[in-house]
Amino acid sequence: MSPVLQGIITIVVGVGGCVGYFYFANLFLDKVLFPAKGTNAGRNINRANMIRPWVFLFPAIFALGLYLMYPVVGSFFRSMYDRAGTEFVGAGNYVRLFNNPDFRQAFLNNILWALVVPAVTTFMGLLIAQLTDRLKWGNIAKSIIFMPMAISFVGASLIWKFVYAQDPDLGIINAIATSFGADPVDPLQIPFWNNFLLMVILIWIQTGFSMVILSAALRGVPEETIEAAIIDGANPFQVFFKIKVPQIIGTIVVVWTTITILVLKVFDIVYTMTGGNYGTEILPSFMMDFMFRDDGQATAVAFVIMLVVLPVMIWNIVQARKEMR
Amino acid sequence: MKKIYLASAAALALSASGALADGHIAHIFPVGEGDFNWDSYTAYADAFDLSGQELTITGPWTGADAELVNSVLDYFESATGATVQYSGSDNFEQDIVIATQAGSAPNIAVFPQPGLMTDLASRGALTPLAPETADWIRANYAAGDSWVSLGTAVGADGTEGLYGFFYKVDLKSLVWYSPEAFDEAGYDIPETMEDLLALNDQIVADGATPWCIGLGSGGATGWPATDWVEDIMLRTQSPEVYDAWVSNEIPFNAPEVINAIETFGVFARNGDYVNGGVEAVSATDFRESPLGLFTFPAECYMHRQASFIPTFFPEDADADFFYFPAFEGEDLGSPVLGAGTLFGITQDSEAAQAFMAFLQTEISHEVWMAQSGFLTPHSGVNSELFASDTLRQMNDILLGATTFRFDASDLMPSEIGQGIFWSGMVDYVGGEDAASVAGRIQDRWAEIQ
């Protein structure tokens, strides 16, 4: 069958199926199960209205269960089996993980990422949003800072690979270093500090995001409060830290947590830049080490990542809800 | 609206079938011309008729290599009337595992190493080859037994069988150089490892750098170093010790292995010996690393890499190779390290079985070897057909080896051979002690047994 025909049939069946489901489920509820006539008409209408939302919600709940809950529960069980998935080993995979120095390194690096990147990104975003707010060319500056958002992580990594290149003809760091007479080094091989060089890439990408959100929040701060502060003799720093920041603290937290979640998932940058070598391993790239080889270990790492992300996620949702109120 | 859809769908269907019905495949070498074994082609064409059948193949070859494999598949199509879909992937190792687990495997998979193949065979994802295949390999391949044993695996039912058919072999024990640069500096090709080590020092004394070594390969960074270690293992230990190492009968941190790693360190951890200094070794991409041979003045004089590497040389590069020599003092003959791709059946069908028979025809080897980058242990092919003298000489090294051993890292469990062995070598070049790197690799290996 031609792929075009296949596509068309899929769309027709899919859309038709959805419409059909809602139409016929409704019909069944009103005409067969609880008909709105006869002696119990009133009671039936009430009952039908009580059930209707659940009938309509069912496809969504079912899909969520199938694509969200089932994989989580399934992964948890999977992480308690051995590499081939045949033998039950209980917490064995987790014990092995925490005894593995590479895992501990990845875990610590990830914590470092989760502490540094959101903090720097949010701070830079806030700073730029405030500084460019009243400038004539502020919007141009903002557009330029926002631009890296449009680049994929792998693309951004490739750009920075040139920045960090050991060849002084390519890498700007070594170009500067050698112009002062120093020997070229490979910055990505300097233990510990290379982690920060990788974080710079994510900060470069994400600052635009935090700037845009925080800039909108800053503009939402009521003018009267600022005017009142100025009349009372507050200097610009006091206006910023004591008037503006407290009023947008909710947004700052949402930006912060959103970036934290992103950081805990980031994989592409480490994979393209160092492949996890030279002590830059983080949890997702460590998981990649086991993927397709030792499914038990890999799912165990995946589960650890999920457990770490979960509290941040809940915190994020709580904050976002507060914001909406 | 509906009419338009139907009409365009019908038109598409027509044009698609029209293209296939045409059936006129432009062969790269016209059938019947040249010194090819055309008899093997016609005999095969007479024996098999697969008109209307489809065959899907997945493999690691992309780009230029994909064109080459398609040029071979053309002959299978025209001989049998079947249509072949070849798709190459840079992430073949992962894709094939996902495809077999998802039940969407192609008919045939081309494995770049036996490790993955034996893994999939043990999970029941492969169909054993026809029973007479093993005998055919023994009779027609040079050192046939070793190819049979490399293609043999234990299936899901616990019985041993032949699952992989070797086709296209790579030779690894080669050192590439620019004859021009060697002539100008007055260097001779080293016949023994002792000569090679002396040459290193001579080049340094002349104020130049002997080696270009690059271990960079994205997520696979480090693999070229494993080839070095394996080549040195074969030159410092008997083949039996090599086999024991591969199967972990001797631990990875045995003194024999540590010695091989440290011998590699003699080359790679000496800033005078490597282009760009020690740090550049793991930072340089293996595809870019040989370029230093062809600069003027030469950034380096030698590059140890497998037979595939000329693909990455500059277009007009004048390059030659010599055999990575053995120690005269060790008396281990002339060992050769190699690798190769094997075909396995991941989704059985009549066409898949017929295709495995096609790989046994001389013509299926000759079409590729007459183009580029193809070596074969098939003794029935016409070696006059090799595209260049270089390739013919390589095939001679392959056929004349006193010991042939398969790339050890490809035979080890993938977690070791395609994981910690790679990253461990990066750590070693970065300054970590050989014994502690080897110890870590052994620990991981002990865990998975």
Side-chain angles (χ1 to χ4, degrees), chain A residues 2 4-5 8 83 96 100 102 166 184-186 189 271 274-275 277-278 286 288-290 292-295 297, chain B residues 5 9 12 94 97-98 101 123 218-219 221 276 279-280 282-283 414-415 418-419 423 426 440 444 447-448:
Chain A
S2 131
V4 177
L5 205 63
I8 292 169
R83 52 189 293 112
R96 260 179 66 193
N100 185 338
D102 290 343
Q166 191 186 11
V185 291
D186 184 2
Q189 288 187 46
Y271 193 71
T274 63
N277 285 305
Y278 324 122
F286 181 74
M288 187 74 186
D289 247 18
F290 289 101
F292 315 111
R293 292 173 184 152
D294 187 336
D295 293 351
Q297 290 266 291
Chain B
Y5 273 136
L12 270 166
Q94 285 144 29
V97 174
I98 295 169
Q101 286 183 352
R123 296 189 200 186
T221 296
E279 269 188 350
S282 38
S414 63
E415 216 169 321
Q418 281 92 52
S423 54
V426 174
R440 257 191 305 130
R444 176 76 72 86
E447 261 179 23
I448 59 176

Side-chain angles (χ1 to χ4, degrees), chain A residues 145-146 149 205-214 255 258-259:
Chain A
I145 289 163
F146 190 73
M149 278 288 288
I205 297 173
Q206 283 296 320
T207 298
F209 162 79
S210 100
M211 176 198 70
V212 167
I213 310 267
L214 293 171
V255 169
T258 308
I259 296 173

Side-chain angles (χ1 to χ4, degrees), chain A residues 29-300:
Chain A
L29 205 60
D30 286 337
K31 300 282 172 216
V32 183
L33 214 52
F34 299 112
K37 56 187 174 205
T39 45
N40 291 331
R43 196 199 67 180
N44 276 359
I45 289 173
N46 282 342
R47 284 193 178 171
N49 284 342
M50 247 163 63
I51 294 172
R52 200 181 324 273
W54 295 105
V55 172
F56 280 18
L57 268 177
F58 172 75
I61 291 174
F62 180 74
L64 272 180
L66 188 65
Y67 291 108
L68 223 64
M69 286 317 289
Y70 169 68
V72 170
V73 176
S75 296
F76 179 65
F77 281 114
R78 187 64 190 76
S79 74
M80 298 204 288
Y81 283 84
D82 71 340
R83 52 189 293 112
T86 45
E87 214 174 299
F88 184 79
V89 294
N93 283 319
Y94 295 92
V95 173
R96 260 179 66 193
L97 274 188
F98 282 94
N99 284 330
N100 185 338
D102 290 343
F103 173 80
R104 290 200 299 264
Q105 164 112 63
F107 196 81
L108 289 176
N109 282 345
N110 231 337
I111 289 176
L112 205 62
W113 275 74
L115 290 178
V116 174
V117 175
V120 176
T121 311
T122 313
F123 177 75
M124 296 282 287
L126 189 58
L127 196 71
I128 295 162
Q130 169 68 15
L131 293 180
T132 54
D133 204 22
R134 297 279 154 84
L135 287 178
K136 229 185 201 158
W137 46 276
N139 280 335
I140 299 171
K142 278 185 192 163
S143 315
I144 291 171
I145 289 163
F146 190 73
M147 259 183 222
M149 278 288 288
I151 302 172
S152 75
F153 282 18
V154 173
S157 302
L158 286 176
I159 293 171
W160 282 86
K161 212 161 191 167
F162 286 116
V163 174
Y164 293 146
Q166 191 186 11
D167 184 348
D169 293 338
L170 291 175
I172 188 160
I173 291 180
N174 279 310
I176 295 168
T178 48
S179 73
F180 287 107
D183 282 334
V185 291
D186 184 2
L188 296 176
Q189 288 187 46
I190 306 167
F192 185 68
W193 299 107
N194 50 11
N195 282 307
F196 294 94
L197 295 179
L198 299 185
M199 290 178 205
V200 166
I201 302 169
L202 189 56
I203 294 169
W204 181 72
I205 297 173
Q206 283 296 320
T207 298
F209 162 79
S210 100
M211 176 198 70
V212 167
I213 310 267
L214 293 171
S215 162
L218 278 177
R219 293 210 169 143
V221 174
E223 279 293 321
E224 303 86 55
T225 59
I226 298 165
E227 265 170 40
I230 292 171
I231 291 168
D232 283 348
N235 66 30
F237 283 98
Q238 284 170 321
V239 170
F240 182 67
F241 286 110
K242 298 208 164 137
I243 308 298
K244 284 187 174 177
V245 169
Q247 294 194 62
I248 60 163
I249 194 75
T251 315
I252 292 178
V253 170
V254 170
V255 169
W256 191 297
T257 47
T258 308
I259 296 173
T260 308
I261 294 166
L262 178 85
V263 165
L264 291 168
K265 295 188 298 183
V266 80
F267 158 75
D268 335 34
I269 293 176
V270 171
Y271 193 71
T272 21
M273 293 296 282
T274 63
N277 285 305
Y278 324 122
T280 58
E281 198 92 89
I282 53 173
L283 288 179
S285 70
F286 181 74
M287 177 172 83
M288 187 74 186
D289 247 18
F290 289 101
M291 250 151 120
F292 315 111
R293 292 173 184 152
D294 187 336
D295 293 351
Q297 290 266 291
T299 34

Side-chain angles (χ1 to χ4, degrees), chain B residues 180-250:
Chain B
E180 223 174 299
F182 257 55
D183 277 350
E184 208 162 295
Y187 300 140
D188 293 327
I189 304 301
E191 299 282 327
T192 64
M193 188 61 91
E194 286 84 351
D195 288 349
L196 182 65
L197 292 168
L199 180 62
N200 281 348
D201 292 326
Q202 195 193 335
I203 294 175
V204 173
D206 293 346
T209 311
W211 293 94
C212 276
I213 306 178
L215 306 187
S217 180
T221 296
W223 72 259
T226 65
D227 285 4
W228 272 89
V229 173
E230 290 152 10
D231 243 340
I232 293 168
M233 272 299 279
L234 285 175
R235 279 157 185 74
T236 51
Q237 303 299 330
S238 68
E240 289 72 33
V241 175
Y242 185 89
D243 294 340
W245 174 51
V246 169
S247 57
N248 207 20
E249 278 157 45
I250 63 165

Side-chain angles (χ1 to χ4, degrees), chain B residues 26-345:
Chain B
H27 289 137
I28 182 136
F29 306 111
V31 175
E33 286 177 30
D35 288 332
F36 294 88
N37 277 304
W38 291 118
D39 293 348
S40 71
Y41 174 78
T42 44
Y44 180 79
D46 291 343
F48 291 92
D49 178 24
L50 307 168
S51 307
Q53 298 198 29
E54 253 192 57
L55 182 72
T56 49
I57 302 179
T58 317
W61 297 310
T62 56
D65 282 336
E67 272 171 42
L68 287 163
V69 72
N70 272 316
S71 76
V72 177
L73 297 176
D74 286 347
Y75 290 87
F76 174 73
E77 289 190 321
S78 66
T80 59
T83 44
V84 181
Q85 277 288 345
Y86 171 80
S87 55
S89 163
D90 284 329
N91 279 324
F92 171 80
E93 282 97 332
Q94 285 144 29
D95 294 346
I96 191 68
V97 174
I98 295 169
T100 50
Q101 286 183 352
S104 60
N107 294 117
I108 289 192
V110 188
F111 296 98
Q113 12 108 351
L116 182 60
M117 184 215 75
T118 42
D119 216 38
L120 287 182
S122 72
R123 296 189 200 186
L126 296 185
T127 308
L129 304 182
E132 61 276 9
T133 315
D135 292 333
W136 184 90
I137 296 174
R138 283 195 194 94
N140 292 283
Y141 270 17
D145 267 331
S146 59
W147 299 114
V148 171
S149 73
L150 285 167
T152 301
V154 179
D157 53 358
T159 55
E160 207 170 64
L162 182 69
Y163 285 90
F165 186 95
F166 270 95
Y167 174 83
K168 189 179 190 292
V169 171
D170 282 318
L171 192 59
K172 299 211 166 205
S173 305
L174 302 175
V175 179
W176 296 86
Y177 69 103
S178 154
E180 223 174 299
F182 257 55
D183 277 350
E184 208 162 295
Y187 300 140
D188 293 327
I189 304 301
E191 299 282 327
T192 64
M193 188 61 91
E194 286 84 351
D195 288 349
L196 182 65
L197 292 168
L199 180 62
N200 281 348
D201 292 326
Q202 195 193 335
I203 294 175
V204 173
D206 293 346
T209 311
W211 293 94
C212 276
I213 306 178
L215 306 187
S217 180
T221 296
W223 72 259
T226 65
D227 285 4
W228 272 89
V229 173
E230 290 152 10
D231 243 340
I232 293 168
M233 272 299 279
L234 285 175
R235 279 157 185 74
T236 51
Q237 303 299 330
S238 68
E240 289 72 33
V241 175
Y242 185 89
D243 294 340
W245 174 51
V246 169
S247 57
N248 207 20
E249 278 157 45
I250 63 165
F252 206 103
N253 52 353
E256 294 91 339
V257 185
I258 292 175
N259 172 54
I261 296 175
E262 281 171 346
T263 311
F264 164 61
V266 169
F267 294 87
R269 292 217 322 195
N270 183 337
D272 291 337
Y273 281 3
V274 283
N275 183 28
V278 175
E279 269 188 350
V281 168
S282 38
T284 310
D285 194 281
F286 78 94
R287 285 159 282 222
E288 283 166 19
S289 146
L291 299 181
L293 292 172
F294 310 109
T295 55
F296 187 81
E299 283 174 16
C300 58
Y301 281 87
M302 294 177 279
H303 181 71
R304 199 220 70 94
Q305 188 50 282
S307 49
F308 70 82
I309 196 69
T311 321
F312 300 104
F313 288 170
E315 217 149 81
D316 52 345
D318 172 33
D320 204 349
F321 64 88
F322 59 83
Y323 167 69
F324 186 57
F327 283 100
E328 199 173 19
E330 298 280 356
D331 193 30
L332 286 165
S334 33
V336 166
L337 181 72
T341 45
L342 341 72
F343 284 65
I345 300 176

